[in-house]
């Protein structure tokens, strides 16, 4: 049998061996804290690198650097076309280093190298080039006004968009490169400076992305990276008085804490939080399409996707056939390390997260839930969980309502579409949902009634730079992507001129 394990690039090995510092003022700088944080390969649990565990003083240095660069105008006052050209050059450099970045992503996060190549890096390039183009599309309005005094005076009013200042970006561990760039690129396109904090579990790719940004011509201080624990580094960053906006992607409890801290200073906040995302399968749906689409929607990146379909409501007449299709598909999945190109299910990101997902399944087993599991991972210290179907879970299971964030999906029989809709909306979350039907009338009738920020029809999870994304209810506030994306990184100023 041919060896399908990817050979690690020399440049990747060299990057892992570095004594990584913080990226401040356009260069790597040592942390003032002596403690370092290990980075592990989820496939075998082995340490592959370490990064700095930034102190509050380190964070203050980074924010001060970003604020100094912003107020000096080294980036904000450049011509929009110049910012666009540099950001496009940045995307070209990322493309040139795509394999290096993909390997780093897989080694620290655990995902399939195929996902790292095609989705994490490949799709990120689409977002980078789309957002670079927005730098030259920032617009205001001219407004007629009816100010009546003094008699005979005339006024002209227009609005302009100005960069908000220093942005703090907090990035989760599931798509560290892509979600990091979702914060970096709009901030830079708008003329802001940014200090970004990756998860302490997956810090490496953003450190490399910062180096490439400097190589592209982004001035020192405009793009800074601090690595460290959320309780110290993240807290210091989101609470720093010079931070004008926080963009956070992560759990709902942490997001609420950031919102409370931001409220004291009225710091602008965009929050993309958790989801317990439903799919509604009507009896006229194409079963083959349902199984194929929702297998991807449920198990992409081992279900470690905020938009993943985790509870699937299926009308009774086709329920057994859909479950049979899912069972066959789940049991056919190959499980292995992310650097094996054949592996369809790879390890979870960390030992602690693996244990958290396992606890949901242990609770379900203890309460006699019906589970259908696929293959186990390789024997050893990797952080594997088998892909698992939960058949008609009872209300008292923890995984019925809580976000599992792993390769676990609930399949629920419903009498009809109305019951499915009621159950789908019965959640504190409202990030994404999908509807599966061949009926245009049903699609048009149901989608307005589903309480979610994104509703797909006959697909799930797939997104695009030109398609706004964000949540209802406790799944967050604000929207990313789309032609108005930079609005969240700018302030609107009204200018009133008497003549």
């Amino acid at each position: 049998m041919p060896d399908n394990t990817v050979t690690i690039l020399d440049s990747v090995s060299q990057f892992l061996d570095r004594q990584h510092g913080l990226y401040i003022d356009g260069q790597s700088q040592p942390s003032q804290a002596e403690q370092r944080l290990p980075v592990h390969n989820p496939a075998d649990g082995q340490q592959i690198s370490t990064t700095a565990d930034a102190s509050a003083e380190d964070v203050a240095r980074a924010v001060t650097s970003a604020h100094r660069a912003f107020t000096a105008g080294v980036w904000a006052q450049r011509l929009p076309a110049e910012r666009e050209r540099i950001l496009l050059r940045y995307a070209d450099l990322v493309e040139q280093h795509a394999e290096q970045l993909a390997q780093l992503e897989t080694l620290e996060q655990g995902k399939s190298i195929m996902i790292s190549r095609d989705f994490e890096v490949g799709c990120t390039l689409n977002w980078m080039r789309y957002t670079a183009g927005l730098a030259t599309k920032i617009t205001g309005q001219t407004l007629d006004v009816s100010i009546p005094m003094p008699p005979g005076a005339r006024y002209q009013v227009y609005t302009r968009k100005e960069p908000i200042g220093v942005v703090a970006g907090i990035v989760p561990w599931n798509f560290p490169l892509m979600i990091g760039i979702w914060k970096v690129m709009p901030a830079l396109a708008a003329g802001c400076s940014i200090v970004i904090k990756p998860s302490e579990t997956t810090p490496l790719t953003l450190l490399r992305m910062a180096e490439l940004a400097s190589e592209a011509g982004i001035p020192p201080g405009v793009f800074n990276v601090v690595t460290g624990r959320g309780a110290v580094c993240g807290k210091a960053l989101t609470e720093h008085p010079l931070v004008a906006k926080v963009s956070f992607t992560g759990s709902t409890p942490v997001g609420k804490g950031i919102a409370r801290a931001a409220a004291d200073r009225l710091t602008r906040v965009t929050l993309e939080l958790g989801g317990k995302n439903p799919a509604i399968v009507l009896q006229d749906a194409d079963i083959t399409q349902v199984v194929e689409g929702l297998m991807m929607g449920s198990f992409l990146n081992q279900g470690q996707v905020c938009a993943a379909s985790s509870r699937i409501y299926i009308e009774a007449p086709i329920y057994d056939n859909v479950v049979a299709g899912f069972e066959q598909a789940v049991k056919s999945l190959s499980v292995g390390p992310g650097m094996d190109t054949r592996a369809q299910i790879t390890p979870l990101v960390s030992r602690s997260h693996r244990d958290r997902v396992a606890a949901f399944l242990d609770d379900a087993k203890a309460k006699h839930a019906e589970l259908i599991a696929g293959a186990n991972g390789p024997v050893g210290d990797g952080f594997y969980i088998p892909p698992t179907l939960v058949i008609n879970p009872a209300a008292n299971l923890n995984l019925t309502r809580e976000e599992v964030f792993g390769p676990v999906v609930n399949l629920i029989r419903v009498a009809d579409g109305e019951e499915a809709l009621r159950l789908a909306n019965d959640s504190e979350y409202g990030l994404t949902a999908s509807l599966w039907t061949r009926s245009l009338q049903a699609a048009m009738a149901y989608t307005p009634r589903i309480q979610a920020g994104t509703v797909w029809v006959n697909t799930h999870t797939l997104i695009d730079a030109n398609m706004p994304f964000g949540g209802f209810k406790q799944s967050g506030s604000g929207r990313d992507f789309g032609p108005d994306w930079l609005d969240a990184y700018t302030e609107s100023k009204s200018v009133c001129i008497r003549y």
Side-chain angles (χ1 to χ4, degrees), residues 403-416:
E403 183 179 29
V404 177
F405 219 66
V408 179
V409 61
N410 302 343
L411 302 180
I412 304 110
R413 183 196 304 267
V414 293
D416 53 33

Side-chain angles (χ1 to χ4, degrees), residues 254-279:
V254 176
K256 288 179 178 179
I258 289 173
R260 283 190 289 268
D264 287 340
R265 302 188 319 278
L266 297 180
T267 303
R268 307 297 190 264
V269 177
T270 299
L271 302 172
E272 198 267 276
L273 307 178
K276 186 70 174 174
N277 307 298

